[in-house]
Amino acid sequence: IICQNYVEAFAEFELMIQRSKFGDAGKRVVVEEFLSGIELSVFVLTDGKNYVLLPEAKDYKRIGEGDTGLNTGGMGAISPVPFANDEFMQKVKTKIIEPTISGFQKDEFDYKGFVFIGLIKIGDEPFVIEYNCRMGDPETEVVIPRIKNDLVELLQATAEQKLDKVQIEIDPRFAATIVAVSGGYPNEYQTGFAISGLSLAEEDTMIFYAGAKKDGNKVVTSGGRVLCTTSLADDLTEALERSRELIEVINFDGNCLRKD
Ligand code: GLY
């Protein structure tokens, strides 16, 4: 619950604690400072001792253009993130990633895998919003295409605690992904519509399927976020333009995407 002032916060607190608004789950309340800034997603792969920094990304969660309407899992994403300059990323490493990894060791928390750190940039400072022990979606669709290393070798080095021997190689180009969703998503939506206009991936353009499945010779919708198109290009505008060209020929009943 985002409360605008003390009175609202107090009223919510009463509802949760005294009136059991969330049942037993509301018996313990966490109060946090409200942070207002711009969000980005940072990813590391850690073997518990060492880590490699993967490309950062920014996803766009609102259903509507201009970041309006309901929150979704993500309507698109870009990588790299223009406002995450070297100086900012250095702060992310020293103030957030390194203490996180040494915290794993201090707490004897034997974790090997992806750490997705949801950050917010306020002024020039990074603040943590959340940690996830997974990649993000649709961030993955712009992060993984920029990693030039063999992914299996990276995962093997993670499992064998040899990430200190790995040199991560990142494609300097921009990646942009656009998601096509079922009409009505993130509320109720229908599925089973035939998808037309699908093409095979070409160099530097890709289609990733999510809420889609094969039905005989056809591909039909089977979920809210149906598919997305990713392109790599030397500049962000071109990457977006190519992803847009690819997704605009794809069609299904109720098809919806953000054009911004
Ligand atoms: N796109 C946000 C997430 O995967 O949590």
Side-chain angles (χ1 to χ4, degrees):
I1 309 278
I2 297 170
C3 299
Q4 303 301 332
N5 52 48
Y6 179 80
V7 175
E8 270 184 37
F10 197 83
E12 274 300 334
F13 197 75
E14 238 173 31
L15 281 176
M16 290 181 197
I17 296 285
Q18 289 180 342
R19 304 215 195 149
S20 304
K21 179 178 177 181
F22 297 124
D24 280 352
K27 285 192 174 150
R28 186 161 176 250
V29 179
V30 178
V31 182
E32 293 184 315
E33 181 187 3
F34 176 73
L35 299 172
S36 175
I38 187 158
E39 287 181 46
L40 75 154
S41 308
V42 167
F43 301 93
V44 297
L45 193 53
T46 180
D47 59 16
K49 206 164 76 180
N50 313 289
Y51 76 91
V52 289
L53 180 64
L54 305 177
E56 78 285 352
K58 168 147 186 57
D59 73 338
Y60 293 82
K61 292 194 179 73
R62 301 296 194 98
I63 187 78
E65 281 162 23
D67 285 329
T68 52
L70 294 174
N71 251 341
T72 70
M75 297 296 288
I78 58 163
S79 176
V81 179
F83 62 80
N85 57 25
D86 289 349
E87 198 187 334
F88 177 78
M89 289 309 290
Q90 195 52 46
K91 283 187 189 168
V92 172
K93 275 194 211 167
T94 53
K95 294 188 174 178
I96 293 166
I97 299 174
E98 282 156 18
T100 301
I101 306 297
S102 44
F104 286 175
Q105 288 164 9
K106 187 166 147 276
D107 292 351
E108 297 179 9
F109 180 42
D110 181 20
Y111 181 75
K112 294 187 174 85
F114 293 108
V115 184
F116 162 177
I117 310 172
L119 292 179
I120 190 158
K121 182 175 184 250
I122 303 177
D124 289 325
E125 289 300 313
F127 289 80
V128 176
I129 298 190
E130 62 176 8
Y131 287 103
N132 294 296
C133 47
R134 59 171 172 88
M135 284 293 292
D137 179 25
E139 289 98 321
T140 304
E141 294 93 310
V142 289
V143 170
I144 301 289
R146 293 190 59 224
I147 300 174
K148 289 180 156 179
N149 305 59
D150 184 314
L151 193 57
V152 174
E153 282 170 17
L154 270 183
L155 297 178
Q156 191 156 1
T158 305
E160 293 171 356
Q161 208 159 61
K162 289 184 184 154
L163 275 180
D164 51 333
K165 310 267 183 315
V166 167
Q167 195 62 40
I168 190 89
E169 260 191 274
I170 307 295
D171 189 326
R173 290 178 300 168
F174 280 88
T177 198
I178 303 175
V179 182
V181 302
S182 296
Y185 172 86
N187 290 324
E188 251 175 62
Y189 55 83
Q190 290 181 313
T191 58
F193 298 116
I195 307 174
S196 63
L198 296 172
S199 51
L200 291 176
E202 287 172 28
E203 211 189 329
D204 300 334
T205 60
M206 293 144 256
I207 302 178
F208 295 102
Y209 298 89
K213 65 175 187 187
K214 276 188 100 175
D215 180 9
N217 291 334
K218 292 186 294 190
V219 180
V220 299
T221 62
S222 62
R225 284 190 293 165
V226 175
L227 53 81
C228 65
T229 56
T230 297
S231 303
L232 285 159
D234 288 333
D235 72 76
L236 181 55
T237 312
E238 193 190 332
L240 272 167
E241 204 44 56
R242 291 179 63 187
S243 290
R244 191 171 14 231
E245 276 168 16
L246 190 63
I247 209 159
E248 278 184 344
V249 292
I250 297 173
N251 203 13
F252 51 87
D253 273 7
N255 174 13
C256 176
L257 53 94
R258 271 182 66 168
K259 297 208 162 106
D260 62 339

